[in-house]
């Protein structure tokens, strides 16, 4: 499948399409400090135009929904759904559905800083309320900065019942049982679309790409768009097509409406 075939397939019944997108690295370029993340210019307009044509637009992100909405300005997109924290919370029409903070998070907050305190100020912890992320992207070599932390972080996660997930220059400790495949399947059950387009750039998106493949093997019009990255070579095998950066995603979104 190439990009033009995929575009034509989704455009054929755009008013019943589900367009589900990761945020960081997919709509917004990867930046060293996640607080600086912004979608490329034109993204809000393109997604609003898609929604205006009747497509259901959704964001499936590892971030909490409110942070993504603040950084992105996407709350103006009509009917937008944001699946935050890998689907542990969901935002729609200004309403956030989110589980209470579990007790184990408090213990993680107390104990993780002791493990991460290596003296390297480029390694720091982001608190996403229901998950904690060890960031190494400010370091010159993020993987080298995170490598010595991996074993003690894994041990603490196992003790407290968290899942450990690697991302681009980050290690994330998450509540068990949530991933982007589950979030995408819930959206499909909710929206009942005639076609599904999912786009992502990172290891955390791989379960959603697998879900897309599985939907298609059961006859659904479901397509995965990967954002090309030297850090995540697995995307080439998981996605149906690859595009270059958030700019490439925006071109595709624009082509869907055009
Ligand atoms: Mg991403």
């Amino acid at each position: 499948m190439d990009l033009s075939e995929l575009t034509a397939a989704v455009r054929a019944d755009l008013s019943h399409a589900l367009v589900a997108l990761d945020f960081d690295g997919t709509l917004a370029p990867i930046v060293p400090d996640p607080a600086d993340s912004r979608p490329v210019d034109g993204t809000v307009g393109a997604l609003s135009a898609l929604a205006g044509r009747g497509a259901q637009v959704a964001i499936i992100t590892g971030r909490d929904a409110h942070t993504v909405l603040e950084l992105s300005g996407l709350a103006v997109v009509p009917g937008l759904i944001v699946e935050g924290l890998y689907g542990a919370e969901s935002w729609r029409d200004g309403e956030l559905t989110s589980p209470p903070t579990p007790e184990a998070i408090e213990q993680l907050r107390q104990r993780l800083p002791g493990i991460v305190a290596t003296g390297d100020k480029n390694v720091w912890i982001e608190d996403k309320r229901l998950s904690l992320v060890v960031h190494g992207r400010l370091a010159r070599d993020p993987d080298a900065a995170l490598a010595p932390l991996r074993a003690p972080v894994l041990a603490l996660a196992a003790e407290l019942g968290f899942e450990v997930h690697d991302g681009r220059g980050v290690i994330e400790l998450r509540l068990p049982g949530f991933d982007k495949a589950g979030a995408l399947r819930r959206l499909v059950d909710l929206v009942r679309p005639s076609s599904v387009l999912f786009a992502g750039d990172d290891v955390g998106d791989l379960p959603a790409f697998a879900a897309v493949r599985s939907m298609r093997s059961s006859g659904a019009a479901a397509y995965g768009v990967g954002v090309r990255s030297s850090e995540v070579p697995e995307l080439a095998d998981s996605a149906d097509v690859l595009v270059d950066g958030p700019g490439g995603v925006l071109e595709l979104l624009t082509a869907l409406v055009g």
Side-chain angles (χ1 to χ4, degrees):
M1 174 177 301
D2 67 20
L3 194 53
S4 59
E5 288 172 310
L6 187 154
T7 306
V10 177
R11 276 183 61 149
D13 189 13
L14 188 58
S15 63
H16 296 99
L18 168 64
V19 178
L21 309 152
D22 166 55
F23 180 65
D24 294 278
T26 299
L27 296 180
I30 294 286
V31 287
D33 183 343
D36 296 332
S37 188
R38 299 290 182 277
V40 291
D41 283 348
T43 302
V44 176
L47 291 177
S48 296
L50 270 176
R53 297 281 292 275
Q56 173 64 58
V57 178
I59 304 295
I60 304 179
T61 175
R63 301 248 212 164
D64 68 273
H66 277 313
T67 298
V68 162
L69 288 162
E70 265 167 41
L71 295 176
S72 68
L74 286 168
V76 298
V77 174
L80 180 77
I81 298 174
V82 181
E83 290 287 318
L85 302 172
Y86 302 91
E89 62 176 27
S90 185
W91 180 95
R92 186 179 202 180
D93 297 329
E95 292 268 328
L96 183 71
T97 309
S98 188
T101 310
E103 165 62 26
I105 285 277
E106 199 46 56
Q107 295 182 41
L108 189 62
R109 279 187 185 129
Q110 285 170 17
R111 295 175 60 185
L112 189 60
I115 289 173
V116 172
T118 57
D120 184 345
K121 63 182 187 323
N122 291 319
V123 177
W124 60 284
I125 298 169
E126 178 188 11
D127 190 333
K128 303 203 301 191
R129 193 174 70 82
L130 296 175
S131 77
L132 269 68
V133 188
V134 182
H135 280 266
R137 284 210 287 263
L138 291 173
R140 201 169 304 134
D141 183 343
D143 289 338
L146 294 177
L149 304 177
R150 191 163 305 277
V153 165
L154 279 169
L156 179 63
E159 184 191 332
L160 296 179
F162 286 85
E163 291 179 359
V164 177
H165 295 271
D166 291 310
R168 295 168 75 175
V170 301
I171 305 172
E172 176 155 25
L173 293 94
R174 277 192 234 158
L175 292 178
F178 296 98
D179 67 17
K180 291 196 181 186
L184 183 62
R185 287 186 183 284
R186 271 200 310 283
L187 285 171
V188 168
D189 288 345
L190 179 74
V191 175
R192 301 266 164 208
S194 62
S195 69
V196 177
L197 185 158
F198 172 77
D201 73 303
D202 205 346
V203 179
D205 298 307
L206 296 175
F209 285 118
V212 163
R213 288 268 162 100
S214 147
M215 289 174 204
R216 197 158 74 236
S217 67
S218 348
Y223 310 100
V225 177
V227 179
R228 198 175 274 115
S229 155
S230 59
E231 296 163 83
V232 192
E234 305 96 305
L235 280 177
D237 300 322
S238 307
D240 296 306
V241 299
L242 291 177
V243 297
D244 288 313
V249 175
L250 178 57
E251 268 177 45
L252 166 62
L253 298 173
T254 306
L256 288 176
V257 185

